[in-house]
mmCIF file of all heavy atoms in Angstrom:
data_model
loop_
_atom_site.group_PDB
_atom_site.id
_atom_site.type_symbol
_atom_site.label_atom_id
_atom_site.label_comp_id
_atom_site.label_asym_id
_atom_site.label_seq_id
_atom_site.Cartn_x
_atom_site.Cartn_y
_atom_site.Cartn_z
ATOM 1 N N LYS B 151 -41.053 -8.288 -4.143
ATOM 2 C CA LYS B 151 -42.093 -7.274 -4.174
ATOM 3 C C LYS B 151 -43.270 -7.763 -4.931
ATOM 4 O O LYS B 151 -44.443 -7.648 -4.519
ATOM 5 C CB LYS B 151 -41.504 -6.025 -4.850
ATOM 6 C CG LYS B 151 -42.145 -4.715 -4.325
ATOM 7 C CD LYS B 151 -41.466 -3.548 -4.932
ATOM 8 C CE LYS B 151 -40.994 -2.611 -3.780
ATOM 9 N NZ LYS B 151 -40.285 -1.455 -4.301
ATOM 10 N N PHE B 162 -36.927 4.908 8.386
ATOM 11 C CA PHE B 162 -38.043 5.216 7.470
ATOM 12 C C PHE B 162 -37.511 5.537 6.115
ATOM 13 O O PHE B 162 -36.464 6.151 5.953
ATOM 14 C CB PHE B 162 -38.923 6.328 8.026
ATOM 15 C CG PHE B 162 -39.599 6.000 9.316
ATOM 16 C CD1 PHE B 162 -40.074 6.905 10.159
ATOM 17 C CD2 PHE B 162 -39.816 4.605 9.657
ATOM 18 C CE1 PHE B 162 -40.714 6.573 11.316
ATOM 19 C CE2 PHE B 162 -40.432 4.219 10.794
ATOM 20 C CZ PHE B 162 -40.884 5.220 11.688
ATOM 21 N N THR B 163 -38.403 5.235 5.111
ATOM 22 C CA THR B 163 -38.078 5.685 3.746
ATOM 23 C C THR B 163 -39.101 6.695 3.317
ATOM 24 O O THR B 163 -39.855 6.454 2.375
ATOM 25 C CB THR B 163 -38.030 4.464 2.842
ATOM 26 O OG1 THR B 163 -39.353 3.856 2.917
ATOM 27 C CG2 THR B 163 -37.015 3.447 3.226
ATOM 28 N N LEU B 164 -39.222 7.752 4.023
ATOM 29 C CA LEU B 164 -40.218 8.802 3.745
ATOM 30 C C LEU B 164 -39.509 10.076 3.280
ATOM 31 O O LEU B 164 -38.427 10.336 3.595
ATOM 32 C CB LEU B 164 -41.063 9.069 4.964
ATOM 33 C CG LEU B 164 -41.863 7.870 5.530
ATOM 34 C CD1 LEU B 164 -42.593 8.261 6.825
ATOM 35 C CD2 LEU B 164 -42.842 7.350 4.488
ATOM 36 N N VAL B 165 -40.230 10.822 2.503
ATOM 37 C CA VAL B 165 -39.738 12.125 2.067
ATOM 38 C C VAL B 165 -40.385 13.250 2.947
ATOM 39 O O VAL B 165 -41.539 13.439 2.868
ATOM 40 C CB VAL B 165 -40.129 12.376 0.522
ATOM 41 C CG1 VAL B 165 -39.583 13.669 0.080
ATOM 42 C CG2 VAL B 165 -39.651 11.251 -0.324
ATOM 43 N N TYR B 167 -40.710 16.515 3.293
ATOM 44 C CA TYR B 167 -41.453 17.721 2.969
ATOM 45 C C TYR B 167 -42.663 17.415 2.024
ATOM 46 O O TYR B 167 -43.191 18.386 1.531
ATOM 47 C CB TYR B 167 -40.559 18.832 2.440
ATOM 48 C CG TYR B 167 -39.778 19.479 3.551
ATOM 49 C CD1 TYR B 167 -38.570 18.986 3.955
ATOM 50 C CD2 TYR B 167 -40.256 20.611 4.208
ATOM 51 C CE1 TYR B 167 -37.818 19.492 5.024
ATOM 52 C CE2 TYR B 167 -39.504 21.154 5.244
ATOM 53 C CZ TYR B 167 -38.306 20.658 5.631
ATOM 54 O OH TYR B 167 -37.633 21.158 6.652
ATOM 55 N N ARG B 168 -42.869 16.179 1.738
ATOM 56 C CA ARG B 168 -44.098 15.929 0.879
ATOM 57 C C ARG B 168 -45.180 15.253 1.737
ATOM 58 O O ARG B 168 -44.873 14.743 2.821
ATOM 59 C CB ARG B 168 -43.713 14.957 -0.254
ATOM 60 C CG ARG B 168 -42.619 15.504 -1.176
ATOM 61 C CD ARG B 168 -42.935 16.887 -1.799
ATOM 62 N NE ARG B 168 -44.067 16.909 -2.655
ATOM 63 C CZ ARG B 168 -44.146 17.512 -3.881
ATOM 64 N NH1 ARG B 168 -43.053 18.249 -4.239
ATOM 65 N NH2 ARG B 168 -45.219 17.568 -4.602
ATOM 66 N N LEU B 176 -45.199 6.914 -3.545
ATOM 67 C CA LEU B 176 -43.987 7.335 -4.093
ATOM 68 C C LEU B 176 -43.474 6.313 -5.157
ATOM 69 O O LEU B 176 -43.376 5.125 -4.922
ATOM 70 C CB LEU B 176 -42.887 7.437 -3.019
ATOM 71 C CG LEU B 176 -41.526 7.902 -3.498
ATOM 72 C CD1 LEU B 176 -41.521 9.349 -3.976
ATOM 73 C CD2 LEU B 176 -40.474 7.706 -2.373
ATOM 74 N N GLY B 177 -43.238 6.803 -6.374
ATOM 75 C CA GLY B 177 -42.765 5.953 -7.405
ATOM 76 C C GLY B 177 -43.898 5.247 -8.189
ATOM 77 O O GLY B 177 -43.684 4.620 -9.233
ATOM 78 N N GLU B 179 -47.088 6.977 -8.691
ATOM 79 C CA GLU B 179 -48.053 8.076 -8.613
ATOM 80 C C GLU B 179 -49.198 7.774 -9.573
ATOM 81 O O GLU B 179 -49.009 7.242 -10.625
ATOM 82 C CB GLU B 179 -47.381 9.385 -8.966
ATOM 83 C CG GLU B 179 -46.438 9.956 -7.880
ATOM 84 C CD GLU B 179 -45.106 9.316 -7.870
ATOM 85 O OE1 GLU B 179 -44.797 8.427 -8.770
ATOM 86 O OE2 GLU B 179 -44.348 9.575 -6.976
ATOM 87 N N PHE B 185 -48.799 13.061 -16.916
ATOM 88 C CA PHE B 185 -47.807 14.017 -16.485
ATOM 89 C C PHE B 185 -48.088 14.574 -15.138
ATOM 90 O O PHE B 185 -47.201 14.787 -14.261
ATOM 91 C CB PHE B 185 -47.572 15.038 -17.518
ATOM 92 C CG PHE B 185 -46.412 16.003 -17.272
ATOM 93 C CD1 PHE B 185 -45.089 15.542 -17.338
ATOM 94 C CD2 PHE B 185 -46.675 17.336 -16.851
ATOM 95 C CE1 PHE B 185 -44.039 16.439 -17.058
ATOM 96 C CE2 PHE B 185 -45.639 18.150 -16.604
ATOM 97 C CZ PHE B 185 -44.287 17.684 -16.690
ATOM 98 N N PHE B 186 -49.394 14.936 -14.949
ATOM 99 C CA PHE B 186 -49.708 15.683 -13.755
ATOM 100 C C PHE B 186 -50.223 14.681 -12.678
ATOM 101 O O PHE B 186 -50.841 13.714 -12.956
ATOM 102 C CB PHE B 186 -50.799 16.735 -14.011
ATOM 103 C CG PHE B 186 -50.339 17.810 -14.903
ATOM 104 C CD1 PHE B 186 -50.770 17.844 -16.234
ATOM 105 C CD2 PHE B 186 -49.520 18.820 -14.436
ATOM 106 C CE1 PHE B 186 -50.309 18.853 -17.085
ATOM 107 C CE2 PHE B 186 -49.085 19.831 -15.233
ATOM 108 C CZ PHE B 186 -49.433 19.869 -16.590
ATOM 109 N N LEU B 187 -49.861 15.024 -11.417
ATOM 110 C CA LEU B 187 -50.338 14.200 -10.386
ATOM 111 C C LEU B 187 -51.845 14.303 -10.250
ATOM 112 O O LEU B 187 -52.400 15.447 -10.345
ATOM 113 C CB LEU B 187 -49.780 14.705 -8.974
ATOM 114 C CG LEU B 187 -48.239 14.598 -8.772
ATOM 115 C CD1 LEU B 187 -47.834 15.316 -7.535
ATOM 116 C CD2 LEU B 187 -47.928 13.082 -8.658
ATOM 117 N N LYS B 189 -54.018 14.408 -7.814
ATOM 118 C CA LYS B 189 -54.002 14.536 -6.403
ATOM 119 C C LYS B 189 -55.319 14.044 -5.791
ATOM 120 O O LYS B 189 -55.369 13.483 -4.687
ATOM 121 C CB LYS B 189 -53.824 15.985 -5.984
ATOM 122 C CG LYS B 189 -52.391 16.444 -6.362
ATOM 123 C CD LYS B 189 -51.969 17.644 -5.476
ATOM 124 C CE LYS B 189 -50.528 17.925 -5.692
ATOM 125 N NZ LYS B 189 -49.911 18.905 -4.871
ATOM 126 N N MET B 214 -43.212 15.355 7.607
ATOM 127 C CA MET B 214 -42.370 15.869 8.702
ATOM 128 C C MET B 214 -43.245 16.413 9.824
ATOM 129 O O MET B 214 -42.667 16.610 10.917
ATOM 130 C CB MET B 214 -41.386 16.857 8.132
ATOM 131 C CG MET B 214 -42.089 18.142 7.691
ATOM 132 S SD MET B 214 -40.899 19.527 7.652
ATOM 133 C CE MET B 214 -40.477 19.634 9.371
ATOM 134 N N GLU B 215 -44.439 16.714 9.565
ATOM 135 C CA GLU B 215 -45.298 17.233 10.725
ATOM 136 C C GLU B 215 -45.978 16.122 11.485
ATOM 137 O O GLU B 215 -46.663 16.442 12.429
ATOM 138 C CB GLU B 215 -46.328 18.246 10.171
ATOM 139 C CG GLU B 215 -45.690 19.592 9.755
ATOM 140 C CD GLU B 215 -46.704 20.616 9.311
ATOM 141 O OE1 GLU B 215 -47.875 20.484 9.685
ATOM 142 O OE2 GLU B 215 -46.304 21.580 8.654
ATOM 143 N N LEU B 216 -45.683 14.904 11.074
ATOM 144 C CA LEU B 216 -46.341 13.795 11.840
ATOM 145 C C LEU B 216 -45.417 13.313 12.955
ATOM 146 O O LEU B 216 -44.172 13.537 12.882
ATOM 147 C CB LEU B 216 -46.581 12.636 10.892
ATOM 148 C CG LEU B 216 -47.467 12.887 9.628
ATOM 149 C CD1 LEU B 216 -47.582 11.666 8.752
ATOM 150 C CD2 LEU B 216 -48.877 13.405 10.135
ATOM 151 N N GLN B 221 -45.786 8.398 11.345
ATOM 152 C CA GLN B 221 -44.891 8.104 10.177
ATOM 153 C C GLN B 221 -44.795 6.600 9.958
ATOM 154 O O GLN B 221 -44.767 6.136 8.857
ATOM 155 C CB GLN B 221 -43.525 8.705 10.456
ATOM 156 C CG GLN B 221 -43.498 10.162 10.477
ATOM 157 C CD GLN B 221 -42.131 10.788 10.507
ATOM 158 O OE1 GLN B 221 -41.089 10.011 10.296
ATOM 159 N NE2 GLN B 221 -42.053 12.077 10.739
ATOM 160 N N MET C 80 -36.094 20.509 12.975
ATOM 161 C CA MET C 80 -37.279 19.880 12.359
ATOM 162 C C MET C 80 -38.417 19.644 13.412
ATOM 163 O O MET C 80 -38.117 18.992 14.412
ATOM 164 C CB MET C 80 -36.874 18.569 11.717
ATOM 165 C CG MET C 80 -37.527 18.364 10.330
ATOM 166 S SD MET C 80 -37.186 16.777 9.718
ATOM 167 C CE MET C 80 -35.724 17.065 8.733
ATOM 168 N N GLN C 81 -39.535 20.117 13.136
ATOM 169 C CA GLN C 81 -40.678 19.955 14.034
ATOM 170 C C GLN C 81 -41.295 18.530 13.872
ATOM 171 O O GLN C 81 -41.707 18.226 12.803
ATOM 172 C CB GLN C 81 -41.715 20.944 13.792
ATOM 173 C CG GLN C 81 -41.400 22.317 14.389
ATOM 174 C CD GLN C 81 -41.989 22.442 15.762
ATOM 175 O OE1 GLN C 81 -43.152 22.241 15.970
ATOM 176 N NE2 GLN C 81 -41.169 22.651 16.758
ATOM 177 N N MET C 82 -41.264 17.756 14.853
ATOM 178 C CA MET C 82 -41.702 16.370 14.667
ATOM 179 C C MET C 82 -42.875 16.034 15.560
ATOM 180 O O MET C 82 -43.444 15.000 15.531
ATOM 181 C CB MET C 82 -40.614 15.367 14.866
ATOM 182 C CG MET C 82 -39.709 15.172 13.713
ATOM 183 S SD MET C 82 -40.573 14.628 12.246
ATOM 184 C CE MET C 82 -39.259 14.140 11.176
ATOM 185 N N GLY C 85 -49.024 16.438 14.975
ATOM 186 C CA GLY C 85 -50.117 17.321 14.735
ATOM 187 C C GLY C 85 -49.864 18.771 15.178
ATOM 188 O O GLY C 85 -50.850 19.562 15.285
ATOM 189 N N LEU C 262 -42.864 21.308 -9.466
ATOM 190 C CA LEU C 262 -42.516 20.949 -8.087
ATOM 191 C C LEU C 262 -43.854 20.403 -7.403
ATOM 192 O O LEU C 262 -43.727 19.568 -6.556
ATOM 193 C CB LEU C 262 -41.906 22.065 -7.336
ATOM 194 C CG LEU C 262 -40.455 22.344 -7.737
ATOM 195 C CD1 LEU C 262 -39.945 23.552 -6.982
ATOM 196 C CD2 LEU C 262 -39.581 21.208 -7.399
ATOM 197 N N ASN C 263 -44.949 21.024 -7.704
ATOM 198 C CA ASN C 263 -46.133 20.711 -6.926
ATOM 199 C C ASN C 263 -47.105 19.777 -7.540
ATOM 200 O O ASN C 263 -47.896 19.148 -6.829
ATOM 201 C CB ASN C 263 -46.844 22.053 -6.571
ATOM 202 C CG ASN C 263 -46.044 22.902 -5.610
ATOM 203 O OD1 ASN C 263 -45.825 22.563 -4.508
ATOM 204 N ND2 ASN C 263 -45.589 24.100 -6.102
ATOM 205 N N PHE C 264 -47.074 19.693 -8.808
ATOM 206 C CA PHE C 264 -48.186 18.941 -9.450
ATOM 207 C C PHE C 264 -47.758 17.792 -10.361
ATOM 208 O O PHE C 264 -48.498 17.261 -11.137
ATOM 209 C CB PHE C 264 -49.085 19.880 -10.276
ATOM 210 C CG PHE C 264 -49.721 20.963 -9.436
ATOM 211 C CD1 PHE C 264 -49.314 22.304 -9.463
ATOM 212 C CD2 PHE C 264 -50.694 20.602 -8.525
ATOM 213 C CE1 PHE C 264 -49.858 23.196 -8.720
ATOM 214 C CE2 PHE C 264 -51.322 21.598 -7.736
ATOM 215 C CZ PHE C 264 -50.854 22.915 -7.803
ATOM 216 N N THR C 265 -46.454 17.417 -10.286
ATOM 217 C CA THR C 265 -46.045 16.305 -11.050
ATOM 218 C C THR C 265 -45.312 15.276 -10.234
ATOM 219 O O THR C 265 -44.722 15.607 -9.226
ATOM 220 C CB THR C 265 -45.130 16.735 -12.277
ATOM 221 O OG1 THR C 265 -43.858 17.232 -11.669
ATOM 222 C CG2 THR C 265 -45.726 17.859 -13.077
ATOM 223 N N PRO C 266 -45.251 14.025 -10.696
ATOM 224 C CA PRO C 266 -44.457 12.965 -9.993
ATOM 225 C C PRO C 266 -43.009 13.433 -9.932
ATOM 226 O O PRO C 266 -42.332 13.321 -8.941
ATOM 227 C CB PRO C 266 -44.562 11.773 -10.881
ATOM 228 C CG PRO C 266 -45.864 11.937 -11.564
ATOM 229 C CD PRO C 266 -46.024 13.453 -11.789
ATOM 230 N N TYR C 270 -40.171 13.421 -6.874
ATOM 231 C CA TYR C 270 -38.896 12.790 -6.862
ATOM 232 C C TYR C 270 -37.792 13.845 -6.601
ATOM 233 O O TYR C 270 -36.784 13.472 -5.934
ATOM 234 C CB TYR C 270 -38.633 12.215 -8.246
ATOM 235 C CG TYR C 270 -39.652 11.226 -8.703
ATOM 236 C CD1 TYR C 270 -39.810 10.874 -10.061
ATOM 237 C CD2 TYR C 270 -40.453 10.530 -7.787
ATOM 238 C CE1 TYR C 270 -40.762 9.958 -10.429
ATOM 239 C CE2 TYR C 270 -41.372 9.641 -8.161
ATOM 240 C CZ TYR C 270 -41.568 9.363 -9.521
ATOM 241 O OH TYR C 270 -42.504 8.498 -9.906
ATOM 242 N N TYR C 272 -38.021 16.304 -4.455
ATOM 243 C CA TYR C 272 -37.940 16.387 -3.007
ATOM 244 C C TYR C 272 -37.353 15.139 -2.393
ATOM 245 O O TYR C 272 -36.703 15.209 -1.375
ATOM 246 C CB TYR C 272 -39.332 16.665 -2.426
ATOM 247 C CG TYR C 272 -39.766 18.120 -2.571
ATOM 248 C CD1 TYR C 272 -40.459 18.596 -3.662
ATOM 249 C CD2 TYR C 272 -39.426 19.055 -1.623
ATOM 250 C CE1 TYR C 272 -40.764 19.923 -3.811
ATOM 251 C CE2 TYR C 272 -39.776 20.419 -1.700
ATOM 252 C CZ TYR C 272 -40.490 20.788 -2.797
ATOM 253 O OH TYR C 272 -40.748 22.118 -2.963
ATOM 254 N N ASN C 277 -34.720 12.206 1.074
ATOM 255 C CA ASN C 277 -34.482 10.762 1.448
ATOM 256 C C ASN C 277 -34.217 10.005 0.135
ATOM 257 O O ASN C 277 -35.202 9.318 -0.332
ATOM 258 C CB ASN C 277 -35.605 10.210 2.241
ATOM 259 C CG ASN C 277 -35.352 8.846 2.858
ATOM 260 O OD1 ASN C 277 -34.455 8.196 2.464
ATOM 261 N ND2 ASN C 277 -36.092 8.491 3.837
ATOM 262 N N ALA C 280 -35.296 6.359 -0.274
ATOM 263 C CA ALA C 280 -36.713 6.090 -0.476
ATOM 264 C C ALA C 280 -36.988 5.993 -1.972
ATOM 265 O O ALA C 280 -37.753 5.082 -2.396
ATOM 266 C CB ALA C 280 -37.567 7.192 0.174
ATOM 267 N N LEU C 283 -35.329 2.837 -3.488
ATOM 268 C CA LEU C 283 -36.091 1.564 -3.095
ATOM 269 C C LEU C 283 -37.309 1.406 -3.973
ATOM 270 O O LEU C 283 -37.855 0.296 -4.110
ATOM 271 C CB LEU C 283 -36.499 1.588 -1.655
ATOM 272 C CG LEU C 283 -35.388 1.284 -0.636
ATOM 273 C CD1 LEU C 283 -35.826 1.452 0.754
ATOM 274 C CD2 LEU C 283 -34.804 -0.113 -0.886
ATOM 275 N N THR C 284 -37.890 2.460 -4.529
ATOM 276 C CA THR C 284 -39.077 2.269 -5.441
ATOM 277 C C THR C 284 -38.660 1.686 -6.793
ATOM 278 O O THR C 284 -39.513 1.333 -7.576
ATOM 279 C CB THR C 284 -39.770 3.581 -5.697
ATOM 280 O OG1 THR C 284 -38.880 4.419 -6.475
ATOM 281 C CG2 THR C 284 -40.207 4.263 -4.417
ATOM 282 N N LYS C 286 -37.050 3.358 -9.062
ATOM 283 C CA LYS C 286 -36.970 4.394 -10.118
ATOM 284 C C LYS C 286 -35.515 4.786 -10.347
ATOM 285 O O LYS C 286 -34.705 4.655 -9.394
ATOM 286 C CB LYS C 286 -37.759 5.637 -9.635
ATOM 287 C CG LYS C 286 -39.273 5.438 -9.600
ATOM 288 C CD LYS C 286 -39.853 5.682 -10.882
ATOM 289 C CE LYS C 286 -41.338 5.339 -10.888
ATOM 290 N NZ LYS C 286 -41.978 5.367 -12.195
ATOM 291 N N GLY C 342 -33.825 18.942 0.350
ATOM 292 C CA GLY C 342 -35.189 18.483 0.562
ATOM 293 C C GLY C 342 -36.112 19.629 0.927
ATOM 294 O O GLY C 342 -37.369 19.410 1.135
ATOM 295 N N ARG C 343 -35.558 20.865 1.099
ATOM 296 C CA ARG C 343 -36.437 21.950 1.453
ATOM 297 C C ARG C 343 -36.410 23.043 0.372
ATOM 298 O O ARG C 343 -35.428 23.110 -0.377
ATOM 299 C CB ARG C 343 -35.896 22.643 2.790
ATOM 300 C CG ARG C 343 -36.101 21.751 3.951
ATOM 301 C CD ARG C 343 -35.746 22.509 5.162
ATOM 302 N NE ARG C 343 -36.574 23.617 5.545
ATOM 303 C CZ ARG C 343 -36.442 24.392 6.641
ATOM 304 N NH1 ARG C 343 -35.473 24.120 7.452
ATOM 305 N NH2 ARG C 343 -37.348 25.390 6.831
#
Side-chain angles (χ1 to χ4, degrees):
Chain B
K151 209 174 236 180
F162 294 159
T163 57
L164 299 175
V165 182
Y167 285 85
R168 300 302 298 219
L176 183 68
E179 288 79 5
F185 186 71
F186 295 103
L187 291 171
K189 294 203 170 187
M214 66 161 297
E215 285 184 20
L216 303 178
Q221 293 191 10
Chain C
M80 224 187 264
Q81 280 269 302
M82 278 300 194
L262 288 175
N263 292 295
F264 299 108
T265 68
Y270 304 158
Y272 281 90
N277 191 340
L283 283 175
T284 65
K286 294 274 174 187
R343 290 184 70 176

